[in-house]
């Protein structure tokens, strides 16, 4: 299963410089506070901003940060307070870069709790992910909001990374899918704009990279839901759900034909393949699967990727039958679930 690491690691440091507070400056050389001290500092409103910044930078160096955050007195409450304190600026959208940075540092710590095997399930049982849904529900296309959505998706992405039906059931029950679909939709709209194409031609600016990563993480979450039996059943339970998901995946395929991304294509093909394993969905795909998956549009994009090529072949085999699959796939790889 492909891993989320590159995108999540990207978020290690805040992208907007937050002016150093006097305590941050004082800590620089002489008395660098310990991780334990920084966790305690989270409960002190005057020291919290700096503690958030320092801890989110150190979170990968200190293995047991998650249990420390979870079990220490008042820490989770402080992190949740950071989160709810910006609800008022979500609508109408008024989030500043500084506020976005600060709350994203708090989210980075929650991601650490969501990733750790000892805290993942308690994190879920306490329904903490629900606090992030208002962030995923925003549509503002400014950078602070983009960063906020990407970081929030990163927390959910960390939760689904390890296969667990309880995690999937929680996400389904709390209706995460429409939120992911919205991010996926925004990505495919954006990819049609001139600004996006030009930025791709040169170096990708950070803003657009956030879009690409949000797109990728949202698709990864939907893929993980589909790979779960309960998730596949849920999505295929009604025609509306199925067509909402298949429609957005198809739009993404069209957007990708303009701007290929092998990584995203792999996730989308895996999603379609999984849908084709449900009988009713497979029937529906006979009519609504994008032509571009059948006509070899992506063969050059898949040259290096045997696994995805096999997934595509298996998909065509499931949907169109054996002969057509071999013609459309243009190859004779042994059809196999890689
Ligand atoms: N309440 C909606 C439903 O259960 C949630 C929803 C909207 C949804 N769009 C979706 C669920 C797409 C799955 C797929 O249908």
């Amino acid at each position: 299963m492909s891993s989320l690491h590159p995108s999540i690691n990207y978020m290690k440091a805040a992208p907007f410089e937050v002016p150093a507070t006097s305590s941050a400056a004082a800590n620089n050389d002489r008395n660098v506070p310990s991780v334990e001290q920084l966790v305690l500092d989270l409960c002190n409103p005057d020291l919290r901003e700096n503690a958030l910044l320092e801890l989110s930078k150190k979170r990968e160096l200190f293995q047991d940060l998650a249990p420390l955050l979870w079990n220490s007195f008042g820490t989770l409450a402080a992190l949740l307070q950071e989160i709810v304190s910006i609800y008022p600026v979500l609508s109408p959208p008024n989030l500043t870069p500084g506020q976005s940075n600060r709350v994203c540092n708090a989210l980075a710590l929650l991601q650490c709790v969501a990733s750790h095997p000892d805290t993942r399930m308690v994190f879920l049982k306490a329904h903490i992910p629900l606090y992030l849904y208002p962030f995923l529900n925003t549509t503002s296309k400014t950078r602070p909001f983009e960063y906020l959505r990407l970081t929030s998706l990163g927390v959910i992405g960390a939760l689904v990374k390890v296969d667990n039906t309880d995690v999937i059931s929680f996400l389904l029950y709390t209706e995460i899918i429409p939120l992911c679909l919205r991010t996926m939709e925004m990505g495919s709209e954006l990819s049609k704009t001139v600004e996006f194409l030009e930025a791709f031609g040169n170096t990708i600016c950070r803003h657009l990279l956030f879009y690409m990563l949000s797109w990728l993480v949202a698709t990864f979450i939907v893929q993980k839901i589909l790979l779960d039996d309960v998730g596949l059943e849920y999505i295929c339970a009604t025609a509306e759900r199925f067509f909402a998901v298949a429609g957005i995946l198809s739009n993404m395929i069209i957007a990708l034909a303009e701007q290929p991304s092998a990584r995203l294509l792999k996730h989308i093909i895996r999603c379609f393949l999984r849908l084709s394993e449900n009988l009713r969905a497979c029937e529906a795909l006979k009519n609504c699967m994008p032509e571009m998956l059948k006509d070899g549009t992506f063969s050059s994009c898949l040259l290096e990727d045997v696994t995805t090529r096999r997934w595509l072949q298996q998909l065509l085999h499931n949907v169109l039958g054996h002969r057509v699959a071999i013609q459309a796939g243009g190859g004779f790889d042994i059809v196999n679930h890689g």
Side-chain angles (χ1 to χ4, degrees):
M1 189 47 52
S2 71
S3 132
L4 267 184
H5 267 305
S7 48
I8 302 302
N9 285 345
Y10 183 78
M11 304 187 303
K12 228 183 299 187
F16 317 106
E17 283 305 315
V18 179
T21 60
S22 51
S23 63
N27 287 333
N28 260 352
D29 24 6
R30 276 173 300 152
N31 38 5
V32 179
S34 65
V35 168
E36 290 80 0
Q37 184 57 50
L38 287 169
V39 170
L40 292 176
D41 288 353
L42 288 174
C43 284
N44 180 336
D46 297 331
L47 304 179
R48 189 182 292 164
E49 179 162 7
N50 178 59
L52 285 170
L53 181 64
E54 292 303 318
L55 283 172
S56 66
K57 281 197 278 189
K58 290 191 176 139
R59 70 182 206 270
E60 278 170 30
L61 300 174
F62 189 71
Q63 282 220 325
D64 284 322
L65 180 57
L68 190 60
L69 290 171
W70 185 266
N71 294 309
S72 51
F73 181 78
T75 307
L76 248 286
L79 296 178
L80 292 180
Q81 201 174 23
E82 284 298 305
I83 287 174
V84 300
S85 74
I86 64 156
Y87 286 172
V89 292
L90 297 181
S91 172
N94 268 319
L95 182 67
T96 65
Q99 286 172 313
S100 176
N101 255 345
R102 180 170 165 153
V103 72
C104 285
N105 287 334
L107 290 172
L109 298 185
L110 287 186
Q111 185 186 319
C112 175
V113 177
S115 313
H116 197 288
D118 295 348
T119 49
R120 177 182 299 120
M121 292 321 285
V122 278
F123 178 79
L124 188 74
K125 286 211 175 86
H127 294 186
I128 310 282
L130 280 180
Y131 287 88
L132 315 188
Y133 287 18
F135 299 159
L136 297 177
N137 222 348
T138 59
T139 51
S140 169
K141 297 198 169 155
T142 61
R143 208 179 291 208
F145 278 96
E146 232 1 274
Y147 184 46
L148 179 64
R149 279 193 295 270
L150 173 59
T151 314
S152 307
L153 283 169
V155 180
I156 312 287
L159 265 186
V160 297
K161 225 166 140 184
V162 176
D163 297 318
N164 182 312
T165 293
D166 289 341
V167 170
I168 302 293
S169 299
F170 174 85
L171 296 177
L172 294 176
Y173 179 70
T174 55
E175 304 214 332
I176 190 93
I177 295 185
L179 298 175
C180 288
L181 292 182
R182 173 166 326 144
T183 303
M184 288 155 75
E185 209 166 20
M186 278 163 67
S188 50
E189 278 165 21
L190 182 93
S191 68
K192 290 179 202 144
T193 65
V194 175
E195 180 199 17
F196 187 83
L197 298 180
E198 280 175 354
F200 249 96
N202 307 311
T203 45
I204 304 181
C205 75
R206 211 166 221 171
H207 190 186
L208 292 164
L209 191 56
F210 286 169
Y211 268 107
M212 285 304 289
L213 290 176
S214 304
W215 213 16
L216 195 65
V217 181
T219 312
F220 175 78
I221 295 169
V222 169
Q223 177 191 323
K224 293 296 272 188
I225 290 175
L226 276 170
L227 289 180
D228 184 275
D229 288 341
V230 178
L232 181 65
E233 269 302 308
Y234 172 91
I235 286 180
C236 297
T238 70
E240 288 78 11
R241 289 178 185 178
F242 168 80
F243 284 113
V245 173
I248 284 169
L249 291 172
S250 301
N251 286 343
M252 289 172 78
I253 287 286
I254 295 167
L256 279 187
E258 304 263 324
Q259 284 304 319
S261 150
R263 183 114 177 262
L264 191 49
L265 184 63
K266 184 185 184 103
H267 289 305
I268 300 174
I269 289 177
R270 190 68 187 90
C271 287
F272 272 118
L273 172 58
R274 181 63 175 158
L275 284 172
S276 77
E277 287 167 18
N278 176 287
L279 273 184
R280 280 201 302 166
C282 189
E283 275 306 306
L285 284 173
K286 288 191 164 68
N287 295 319
C288 73
M289 201 169 68
E291 284 301 316
M292 283 169 179
L293 285 181
K294 304 177 201 161
D295 65 11
T297 302
F298 295 104
S299 33
S300 58
C301 196
L302 297 179
L303 274 183
E304 314 259 290
D305 187 345
V306 183
T307 307
T308 310
R309 239 178 22 235
R310 286 187 183 160
W311 286 344
L312 178 58
Q313 252 178 3
Q314 179 73 48
L315 166 67
L316 296 171
H317 174 80
N318 292 355
V319 174
L320 305 172
H322 190 54
R323 259 168 206 290
V324 197
I326 285 185
Q327 279 166 13
F332 293 90
D333 290 356
I334 297 156
V335 173
N336 189 344
H337 278 270

